[in-house]
Amino acid sequence: MMRLELIKRPQRSMLFSALSPFIAFMLTIVAGAILFALLGVNPLKAFEIYFIEPVSQVWQLHELAIKAAPLILIGVGLSVCYRANIWNIGAEGQFILGGIVGSIIPVLFPQFEGPLVLPLMLLFGMVGGAAYAAIPALLKTRFNTNEILTSLMLVYVAQLFLDWLVRGPWRDPKGFNFPQTIQFNDSAILPELMPASGRANWGFVFALVAAVLVWILMSRMLKGFEVRVLGSSPRAGRFAGFGINRMVFFAFMLSGALAGLAGISEVSGAIGQLQPVISPGYGFTAIIVAFLGRLNPLGIVAAGLVLALTYLGGEAVQSALGISDKVARVFQGMLLFFVLGCDTLIHYRIRLIGFATPKLEAAPKLEEAR
Amino acid sequence: MSANQDGANLLEVRGLTKVFGTLTACDHIDLDVAKGEIHALLGENGAGKSTLVKMLFGTLEPNSGEILWNGQAVTITDPGFAKKLGIGMVFQHFSLFEALTAAENIALSLEDGSPISAIAAKARALSYSYGLPLDPQSLVGDLSVGERQRIEIIRCLLQTPQLIILDEPTSVLTPQEADKLFETLERLRSEGKSILYISHRLEEVKRICDRATVLRHGKVVGHCNPRAETAASLARMMVGNDVQAVVRAPAEGIETAQPLLEIRALSRKPATPFSIPLKNINLTVRAGEVIGIAGVAGNGQGEFFESVSGEVPQQDAASVRIRGKDAGGLGITGRRLMGAAFVPEERLGHGAAPRMKLSENLLLSRHATDGKVFVGAGGMVKSDAIYAASQRIIEAMDVRKSAPDPEAAALSGGNLQKFIVGRELDRRPDVMVVNQPTWGVDAGAAAHIRQTLIGLARSGSAVLVISQDLDELFEISDAIAVMHNGELSKPLPIAEATFEKIGLLMGGAEPGHAEHTLETA
């Protein structure tokens, strides 16, 4: 009989810190192959349809960018929260509120046109997302509530609020009772980057700019230092004179603003109006993106593209093989599961122990127990 | 190698080696412990004492070498096996649950499943027979550190060990409590039990230990009879050369010097059920003097430090005054900007962020006071400037390290402490408040830190040192006050202070009622 033992490393392993996402990805592929085989599909064929075909043409790369943009924007904001040891699980709700608040101008004042409309919408979207994220921050700092629960519950509030808006006061009067707002006018639509080759819009540029700015914030600025200190050793942070309550608001509102920006970019770019559902779970998937990207904004860009592919692949296998596109959720879940699992290797190493170890063996052993 | 080769050795260690990466923490250690002796294990911090003891207690596996127990080779795989052999251990840092009673804590470590009431009765009987009275029904949270140590000792004795390992047992005791402990140890020796006594307090080793093994840099540098040695010769063996004595020129004209730190009627309610309320504390520290605050751990020193540093600001702005101005309403950054500097007790996680580089840890306490130097336009950190400044401090304080700019956690305790003290000294602060300046720091580094604190005071700053190490306070202070149960005594000028007077105050005696308390203690 063999058993596995986890042995703590004296210091974190740089090698596994870099390798862990790749090992996790490989394990996901293996588990995915088993999944496809059980569904009665040739795994190789399925992988080709899932991972390769969706990115084999230029217009498909545009679709990838459209899906990746919100994931990266939200993931980058969440990375600041998680580095500060603040657990914002409600980016989905902040995304929706960003979409709603950003749509105030085109829905309620459709006659207002011009170059000012779009910047104002984006600003409104960020303010909406930040304000919504400030609610769990306020509850946490005032009443010491658990931000994981409050931010998560506010997601459902936001979803139902959007649903009510598009079925009620904001419904398009000429829309044959469909639950949706009017189509935004042209000056409220986020322009496409290269209309000749595909649909990708400026949202992807926002995502890249946000990633670079947050990277500078976290690695080069005093504020980023404050985030890292308070997240890793709160007592040292207090000794430094950094306020934990201010940090809760900063992290929540920054990630809320980026989620809100993602929301209004999605509504004014990819959709062009408000509908009952404006997100296929970007706010939750972005949590995976943040961790797969090692909470590093530049890593998150890569991770965002990978997770965007799982969405496209899910749609592809649905149409080509008749498998439910829920398989995308399965892949995302497995990926997060394996990433968190593989992260154990950063701090621990695995030792195989045989059953029959001689009791009085004095052979050299290099491991450190405890 | 040892004087005792007649086969009566309870424990023999032969060539025990432990390697961590590139560091050989224990390098072919030989050690004999005879039956019925108190054997001292001496060495500076980082000499390998703790690693050796952990291997004996089964929490670390040796790379090579052997351990003989009653002449039989054994492989001690885990603490449970060590206990079965008859090895008991009292750790320096207690592992007790504060919300449970003494008896419940003891029951948790015994594996025989006997009822609590039986354990309590046994513990009570044992504690009285060894002169360590203990009420098994009392909550650990309500007990003093000395009483908590008794629980650990009783818990160890209940397992009827042959060998008891004590790790720095007196570091948390008043001199009077330590005397009690020594009586117990002598009693145990007379019953034929062996004791491995780890300490760096040479006087007590001379007093109670029969033999000593001295470690330096992971190697045994000698076995000796401590009674035949002087404290100076033992120190020389431990350190490898003579430790420079700290020089303290008498302070002059202090009475008329400007008060730089004033604490006026400072009170604080307990923040948690286990913290100590501060009661009406008054203290003045003037330019040029070092005031020491003695006291047994857990008598409000931590709460006092938080209040003075501004980590927890006060309602009454006048309760803490820095350089003649009210500072009570300010946070720690505001107080630093008024010229104060602080060094907390915990190095890792409080004074420094463990996973951050030294240069980043410099920024931790100085981002505001040296904002112009270290932080540029738009909040960008000037990494060249903090790196240069941290190298300057490393050089000035002789911080030994393995990489140019290592993580704080990679440094030994003493070297990190030198860096943390140096970080504040580098500012030339007018007021310096230090909690446990040399806790766990080796003798050479400790002398260096103490000398720099005296030097800072003599150059015109006010220095307040909170310490549990009385030797240290007598070495550096111009006056010593004692903190007991959240109250602070009047500072005793060093010329009038004696170990006994301070010790009695530490035990809670009112000055003037000393005789009475001595009898009941």
Side-chain angles (χ1 to χ4, degrees):
Chain A
M1 207 179 100
M2 300 282 273
R3 71 190 161 99
L4 293 171
E5 205 168 77
L6 287 177
I7 295 154
K8 196 156 173 46
R9 298 174 188 273
Q11 58 235 351
R12 48 183 292 143
S13 160
M14 283 301 165
L15 178 69
F16 278 99
S17 195
L19 275 185
S20 152
F22 295 98
I23 301 175
F25 192 72
M26 293 310 297
L27 289 171
T28 308
I29 295 290
V30 172
I34 296 170
L35 177 81
F36 281 130
L38 289 177
L39 287 169
V41 184
N42 177 3
L44 285 178
K45 176 80 184 150
F47 279 130
E48 192 194 339
I49 295 171
Y50 198 103
F51 288 112
I52 298 176
E53 272 188 12
V55 285
S56 53
Q57 291 174 42
V58 176
W59 69 268
Q60 288 174 314
L61 292 177
H62 280 259
E63 293 302 311
L64 187 74
I66 287 177
K67 288 271 190 289
L71 292 175
I72 295 170
L73 263 177
I74 303 169
V76 160
L78 289 180
S79 75
V80 175
C81 278
Y82 299 159
R83 282 285 200 95
N85 211 10
I86 294 164
W87 299 95
N88 178 5
I89 307 297
E92 180 82 359
Q94 294 141 26
F95 177 96
I96 293 170
L97 256 286
I100 293 173
V101 177
S103 304
I104 288 175
I105 294 175
V107 172
L108 298 182
F109 309 98
Q111 67 283 9
F112 178 27
E113 291 181 47
L116 258 181
V117 171
L118 200 56
L120 275 177
M121 284 168 64
L122 297 176
L123 188 68
F124 273 41
M126 291 171 77
V127 169
Y132 203 57
I135 298 172
L138 181 73
L139 293 173
K140 181 178 174 66
T141 52
R142 261 301 167 79
F143 305 110
N144 200 22
T145 53
N146 184 321
E147 74 272 23
I148 297 177
L149 293 177
T150 52
S151 63
L152 179 63
M153 290 192 290
L154 284 167
V155 171
Y156 307 116
V157 175
Q159 286 171 341
L160 292 171
F161 180 59
L162 173 63
D163 195 76
W164 172 76
L165 272 183
V166 295
R167 288 175 204 279
W170 283 16
R171 190 177 57 198
D172 181 2
K174 297 178 199 133
F176 307 103
N177 262 342
F178 278 106
Q180 59 194 28
T181 63
I182 54 167
Q183 285 283 341
F184 293 179
N185 61 42
D186 285 347
S187 54
I189 296 288
L190 199 59
E192 290 169 359
L193 279 173
M194 289 173 282
S197 60
R199 293 201 310 138
N201 58 46
W202 278 83
F204 192 63
V205 176
F206 297 158
L208 295 183
V209 171
V212 171
L213 289 180
V214 169
W215 180 75
I216 292 173
L217 170 84
M218 292 300 288
S219 61
R220 296 279 182 274
M221 294 179 69
L222 187 62
K223 195 73 191 174
F225 176 70
E226 190 178 330
V227 171
R228 288 184 287 132
V229 171
L230 281 171
S232 63
S233 16
R235 199 133 179 254
R238 201 176 60 159
F239 178 70
F242 300 144
I244 185 72
N245 284 354
R246 276 201 325 257
M247 179 51 62
V248 171
F249 275 99
F250 172 80
F252 257 108
M253 291 178 74
L254 177 69
S255 64
L258 289 175
L261 178 63
I264 186 58
S265 300
E266 179 76 6
V267 169
S268 80
I271 307 175
Q273 66 187 154
L274 277 180
Q275 303 165 346
V277 175
I278 56 172
S279 159
Y282 287 137
F284 294 117
T285 308
I287 299 171
I288 308 173
V289 170
F291 279 101
L292 190 65
R294 306 249 63 107
L295 301 183
N296 176 332
L298 304 183
I300 286 169
V301 173
L305 291 167
V306 170
L307 266 294
L309 184 56
T310 64
Y311 276 117
L312 295 182
E315 290 166 14
V317 290
Q318 183 176 36
S319 56
L321 302 173
I323 296 173
S324 162
D325 72 345
K326 294 275 188 297
V327 76
R329 292 290 185 90
V330 175
F331 266 93
Q332 293 169 0
M334 287 195 301
L335 198 51
L336 180 64
F337 176 82
F338 286 124
V339 166
L340 296 179
C342 289
D343 278 1
T344 310
L345 293 173
I346 298 172
H347 294 289
Y348 295 87
R349 50 160 79 238
I350 293 174
R351 183 166 68 163
L352 265 176
I353 296 189
F355 185 64
T357 310
K359 201 69 179 156
L360 293 179
E361 181 193 50
K365 283 189 186 135
L366 283 164
E367 289 80 10
E368 178 200 357
R370 297 265 160 116
Chain B
M1 187 172 270
S2 135
N4 212 332
Q5 297 258 323
D6 54 3
N9 282 335
L10 180 67
L11 176 80
E12 288 177 47
V13 169
R14 293 284 165 259
L16 210 59
T17 300
K18 179 71 194 173
V19 180
F20 296 114
T22 57
L23 175 79
T24 307
C26 283
D27 191 354
H28 294 88
I29 303 282
D30 292 326
L31 171 75
D32 300 319
V33 180
K35 282 178 186 145
E37 77 163 346
I38 303 182
H39 193 112
L41 194 56
L42 280 171
E44 290 197 292
N45 281 91
K49 292 174 303 198
S50 302
T51 308
L52 173 59
V53 166
K54 280 181 186 163
M55 288 192 285
L56 294 180
F57 198 57
T59 55
L60 280 183
E61 256 183 274
N63 294 106
S64 64
E66 57 176 354
I67 299 170
L68 303 175
W69 180 256
N70 281 322
Q72 293 282 313
V74 287
T75 304
I76 302 174
T77 47
D78 56 83
F81 185 67
K83 282 180 195 164
K84 234 177 267 167
L85 280 180
I87 299 176
M89 172 121 194
V90 177
F91 289 95
Q92 185 181 6
H93 300 286
F94 308 146
S95 41
L96 297 170
F97 294 95
E98 295 197 336
L100 298 182
T101 66
E104 286 165 339
N105 268 289
I106 291 171
L108 277 173
S109 71
L110 300 176
E111 285 160 3
D112 56 2
S114 41
I116 298 257
S117 57
I119 290 169
K122 255 162 79 182
R124 184 192 301 270
L126 198 66
S127 71
Y128 279 92
S129 78
Y130 280 100
L132 298 170
L134 177 71
D135 175 10
Q137 303 306 336
S138 50
L139 275 182
V140 171
D142 300 334
L143 298 179
S144 74
V145 181
E147 289 170 310
R148 291 182 199 200
Q149 189 182 48
R150 284 179 196 171
I151 303 177
E152 291 270 1
I153 293 174
I154 297 294
R155 173 151 94 173
C156 176
L157 289 177
L158 273 175
Q159 291 158 351
T160 57
Q162 295 303 302
L163 173 69
I164 301 162
I165 303 171
L166 293 162
D167 191 0
E168 305 264 357
T170 56
S171 61
V172 292
L173 302 181
T174 65
Q176 286 82 1
E177 282 176 318
D179 285 342
K180 277 250 171 239
L181 175 69
F182 297 152
E183 284 170 29
T184 308
L185 296 184
E186 275 159 17
R187 167 95 196 272
L188 287 166
R189 168 170 59 188
S190 69
E191 290 172 2
K193 295 196 192 301
S194 305
I195 291 162
L196 188 59
Y197 189 88
I198 302 173
S199 184
H200 60 244
R201 294 194 173 177
L202 304 171
E203 289 299 338
E204 64 188 42
V205 167
K206 274 171 62 63
R207 181 171 153 195
I208 62 163
C209 295
D210 304 303
R211 286 194 301 149
T213 296
V214 185
L215 296 184
R216 186 165 78 227
H217 300 317
K219 290 195 173 107
V220 174
V221 292
H223 302 275
C224 64
N225 174 358
R227 297 201 174 99
E229 303 282 332
T230 64
S233 68
L234 286 173
R236 200 153 42 232
M237 285 174 81
M238 274 165 59
V239 181
N241 50 34
D242 285 298
V243 175
Q244 198 129 28
V246 172
V247 185
R248 187 173 58 86
E252 282 169 17
I254 288 296
E255 301 74 24
T256 57
Q258 190 201 354
L260 292 182
L261 175 66
E262 295 163 273
I263 293 153
R264 298 276 162 268
L266 172 67
S267 295
R268 183 179 162 197
K269 292 195 178 74
T272 70
F274 298 119
S275 61
I276 306 286
L278 299 178
K279 297 164 203 155
N280 191 27
I281 291 178
N282 289 285
L283 185 70
T284 301
V285 192
R286 295 173 187 275
E289 72 175 343
V290 179
I291 300 264
I293 294 184
V296 176
N299 270 289
Q301 292 98 326
E303 289 82 355
F304 177 69
F305 179 83
E306 280 183 340
S307 303
V308 174
S309 68
E311 285 179 278
V312 178
Q314 287 76 48
Q315 297 281 330
D316 174 12
S319 60
V320 174
R321 291 167 61 82
I322 294 170
R323 289 168 65 203
K325 294 200 184 80
D326 288 353
L330 297 175
I332 190 165
T333 302
R335 294 185 196 191
R336 284 195 180 116
L337 289 171
M338 293 175 81
F342 309 97
V343 176
E345 175 180 3
E346 293 267 336
R347 288 183 278 269
L348 287 176
H350 193 179
R355 289 287 168 212
M356 294 206 169
K357 291 185 249 172
L358 285 187
S359 57
E360 292 179 300
N361 271 299
L362 171 72
L363 201 58
L364 196 68
S365 73
R366 293 180 57 180
H367 59 89
T369 54
D370 301 67
K372 287 204 183 79
V373 186
F374 295 146
V375 184
M380 301 291 278
V381 173
K382 294 182 181 167
S383 45
D384 293 346
I386 57 170
Y387 181 76
S390 64
Q391 295 301 318
R392 183 173 74 221
I393 291 162
I394 285 164
E395 191 147 332
M397 298 299 289
D398 186 26
V399 177
R400 316 256 169 93
K401 60 197 171 40
S402 52
D405 195 7
E407 286 182 354
L411 261 61
S412 74
N415 280 307
L416 183 57
Q417 185 71 1
K418 283 196 276 188
F419 180 81
I420 292 175
V421 172
R423 172 178 78 188
E424 308 304 330
L425 287 174
D426 186 61
R427 273 177 55 205
R428 316 281 332 151
D430 288 326
V431 174
M432 177 91 160
V433 182
V434 191
N435 194 1
Q436 314 298 348
T438 62
W439 176 267
V441 173
D442 63 62
H448 185 115
I449 289 174
R450 290 172 191 157
Q451 194 67 63
T452 51
L453 288 175
I454 295 172
L456 179 71
R458 294 301 180 259
S459 70
S461 302
V463 178
L464 181 62
V465 176
I466 304 168
S467 179
Q468 286 160 46
D469 186 341
L470 279 186
D471 296 320
E472 166 171 277
L473 290 177
F474 274 87
E475 223 171 273
I476 65 174
S477 310
D478 298 307
I480 299 179
V482 176
M483 183 158 274
H484 179 260
N485 202 18
E487 291 180 89
L488 190 69
S489 76
K490 275 213 169 58
L492 255 110
I494 197 71
E496 298 168 27
T498 61
F499 262 64
E500 199 189 355
K501 278 188 198 167
I502 300 293
L504 286 172
L505 287 169
M506 284 165 72
E510 292 290 321
H513 297 91
E515 294 303 315
H516 169 71
T517 322
L518 194 59
E519 281 158 28
T520 53

